Structure formats: C-alpha cells, structure tokens
Amino acid sequence: GPLVGGALVDGLSWRWVFLVNVPIGLAALVVARLRLRESRNPAASGVDLRGVALLCPALFLLVYALIRGNDQGWGSALIVSCFAASALLLALFVVVERHAPDPLLDLSLFRKPAFTGVTICGFTLSASIFSMFLYITLFFQNVLGFSPFEAGLRSLPVTLPILFVAPLSGRLTARVPVRLLLGTGLTFVTVGLLLMGNLSDSSGWTALVPGQILAGIGIGLATPGLASTAVGVVGPQLSGMASGASNTARQLGIATGIAGLGAIFQSKIESTLTPLVAGMPASSRVHELARAVASGGTGRALRAAVPPANRNQLAHAAHHAFVTGFNTIALVSVAVAAVGAVAGYALVRSRDFVAGGGSAAAAPPEPARA
C-alpha cells in the first residue's frame, strides 16, 4: 500500500490514492458475490435507526473534539461541549440498545470476555501502530526529505513481514489458542514501537528499521485472529453484528488514535519550540509554527513567516521539536499496544468460542484450571 501509494502520488496525483480503490472494491464485490456464503438472522426485524442516530454523532463529536482540541483550547466551550455531548449520546445509546428489540449492537456480546478482549485488541492495534504510520511518513518525507515513493520503499520493513507472517498466523488459529497469537502479536508491536521511540536529531530512516520489522511481525500475527475471534465467539446469526462491531472498533481506533496522538504531538512540539525560539521574530507565532511542524508544513511556514537570516536556526529547532514529539507519541503508543497485549492474553479464552461460529471455533480447548 505505501509503496504503490507513493508511486501514484509521485507519478500521477495524490487523488489517485482514492481512485485506485474503486477497481479494487469492485473486484472485492464480485469475489464476495461468487465465493462467500450468506448468513442471516431469521429473527431480524429491521435496522435499529435509533441506535444509528445516537452512535454516529457520538463518535463524530468525540473525534472532532480530539482533532480540534489544540487549536480551540481543551477548556474552550466548544471542545468541552463536544466531549460532553459525545458522552451523553453514548450513554443514551447504551440505554436504547439494552431495550431495543433488534439492537444495532447487542451489548450482551460483551459478557463474553473473548469478545471484549478482541474488541480491545482491535482498537489498540489501530490506535497504536496503524495511527503511528502517519507520523512515520511525516518523518520520512518532511524531516528527511524523501519523496512519497521513497517513503513507501522505507515502509517495506513493516509491510513485508505482514505478507509472510499473516498467512502463517491464519493457519495457526486452528492449532494454537488464539489469545497467544493476539497477545504475542501486540507484544511484538509494543516492543517495536518502543524501539522506534528512540530517535535523535541525527537519526536517519534506518533508525526505525528494527522497530518496523518487529511491528510488522506483530501485525501479521494478530490480524487474522481479530477477524476469526470476533465471529467465532457468537452464533452464526450474530456473525454480521460481531464482525461489524469488531471492524468499527478498529476504524475508531485509527480515528481516535491519529487525533489523540496528533493532539499530544502538536502540544509537545509547541512546548519544545517555545524556549528555542524565545527572542526570535517567530516567538509570537510559535503556535502556528508548531501546527505547521506537526502537519508536515515546516518548509512553507518558514518561508512565509521567518526572515531568511533566522531560517536555518529555526529549521534546526523545528527538526528537534519534531523528533521530541515523535518519541513522545511513540511511547504513548507503546502503552496503548501494551494494554491490547494484556487484553489478548487475559480475556480471549478458547472456551468462549461457539461451535459453528467461525474458523477459530476449532481452536483447541485450554487445559482445565483448579
């Protein structure tokens, strides 16, 4: 993905990273139509419109508040109101779903530790390493100066291990407890992120390679088990709901992960830059400069707001602030991934799987405990 995306951006336009998905999506629809077996809930009565009407704005307001918090101020009326409204809507969603005859999300699914565990694993995997991909790309392109294609090449230490490890992990789901694959995969991701969060001002792209390789192995180990576990712990009639809930958790993890890490990233960059630019003309615009550094627009910001005599000095300060911020959010991601690893080991139990619920239902039972 990063390699092809980089080639498209370099050779054609950034718009093609969206357009290329159209033929891929059409091919997936054809294959699904021809090869996948349909499953239905014979008791289903319709779509839970009240659940949709509550959940969608709740998630939107949460992500919006995380994205806009630094610019608007975390104590501002807008941000506080968004967080409060999101919390209220989520609480109402829980109340409505508990009494809905055909809920959007059957909350009783979370009574099974395995379902709760795999949901946490999916969320934390996305909120940690997948969210960090954005900031790794910014490091390659905006700090080290690589083109999109060159940055894609330097993402291969992550993507290549996934290609080799994921099929192996998929076969292992029928032979070993899935919790070992999920927990171990997220442990690899945790260690990989820990290694990545040790950059210095002189670090090149190779400083990330050991962490990238370990993270790629971890993603490959964990990803197949996420899908099989979500549908494997419910009856076939609920497999669509369980799969949708699991996928939503992963997408929400990416959205909140990027937004949350971005807020921490920009805040750390600003606090690092402030003393470095004290007494310089740019000191009055440190907030705007920090936002530009965090979003990859350092060069444009320097040209637009900084006198030529100060640009080199400020460029070095921006570089140092970016590296400091990157190390900080990498360590935050370490903590997030570690939570997922613990959830995978502790909650995903083989005895929670339902016969016929999914491929992981064939997982061997765990030994009895006293």
Side-chain angles (χ1 to χ4, degrees), residues 277-290:
V277 301
M280 298 173 60
S283 60
S284 61
R285 306 185 63 179
V286 68
H287 179 74
E288 292 80 1
L289 182 60

Side-chain angles (χ1 to χ4, degrees), residues 51 78 87 97 99 110 125 200 204 215 244 275 322-323 340 345 349:
L78 175 63
E97 295 305 281
H99 298 92
F110 293 99
L125 184 68
S200 68
F322 185 101
V323 169
Y345 283 129
R349 310 173 305 180

Side-chain angles (χ1 to χ4, degrees), residues 82-346:
C82 286
F83 278 128
S86 177
L88 176 61
L89 290 171
L90 287 174
L92 289 173
F93 174 76
V94 171
V95 173
V96 168
E97 295 305 281
R98 292 181 64 181
H99 298 92
D102 193 27
L104 178 70
L105 177 61
D106 188 344
L107 299 177
S108 66
L109 292 176
F110 293 99
R111 294 175 186 167
K112 283 198 171 183
F115 187 80
T116 301
V118 77
T119 302
I120 295 172
C121 287
F123 179 90
T124 54
L125 184 68
S126 295
S128 57
I129 183 61
F130 283 110
S131 298
M132 279 297 296
F133 284 155
L134 168 63
Y135 303 100
I136 292 171
T137 301
L138 288 176
F139 176 68
F140 287 157
Q141 292 187 221
N142 299 103
V143 175
L144 301 183
F146 294 119
S147 69
F149 181 72
E150 290 170 336
L153 281 173
R154 286 156 179 83
S155 298
L156 290 178
V158 176
T159 55
L160 285 179
I162 298 173
L163 291 175
F164 290 104
V165 176
L168 174 62
S169 177
R171 290 192 291 270
L172 286 175
T173 56
R175 295 179 174 85
V176 301
V178 182
R179 65 186 178 87
L180 296 181
L181 299 174
L182 294 174
T184 304
L186 277 153
T187 299
F188 269 91
V189 171
T190 301
V191 177
L193 287 165
L194 187 62
L195 293 178
M196 285 189 235
N198 194 32
L199 296 181
S200 68
D201 290 357
S202 60
S203 294
W205 72 275
T206 55
L208 294 178
V209 170
Q212 286 178 297
I213 293 173
L214 290 180
I217 293 172
I219 295 169
L221 281 173
T223 301
L226 293 174
S228 62
T229 301
V231 299
V233 297
V234 301
Q237 72 275 15
L238 293 178
S239 60
M241 179 188 293
S243 176
S246 175
N247 196 44
T248 299
R250 294 168 69 178
Q251 300 304 321
L252 183 61
I254 292 178
T256 56
I258 290 176
L261 292 179
I264 297 170
F265 188 49
Q266 183 176 329
S267 177
K268 185 64 176 179
I269 287 174
E270 184 170 346
S271 66
T272 304
L273 273 178
T274 300
L276 296 178
V277 301
M280 298 173 60
S283 60
S284 61
R285 306 185 63 179
V286 68
H287 179 74
E288 292 80 1
L289 182 60
R291 184 169 57 181
V293 173
S295 62
T298 306
R300 291 191 300 272
L302 292 178
R303 289 190 295 271
V306 180
N310 297 119
R311 284 178 189 170
N312 284 339
Q313 182 182 356
L314 200 54
H316 288 300
H319 182 113
H320 175 72
F322 185 101
V323 169
T324 302
F326 184 95
N327 289 339
T328 299
I329 60 173
L331 292 179
V332 172
S333 297
V334 166
V336 173
V339 170
V342 172
Y345 283 129

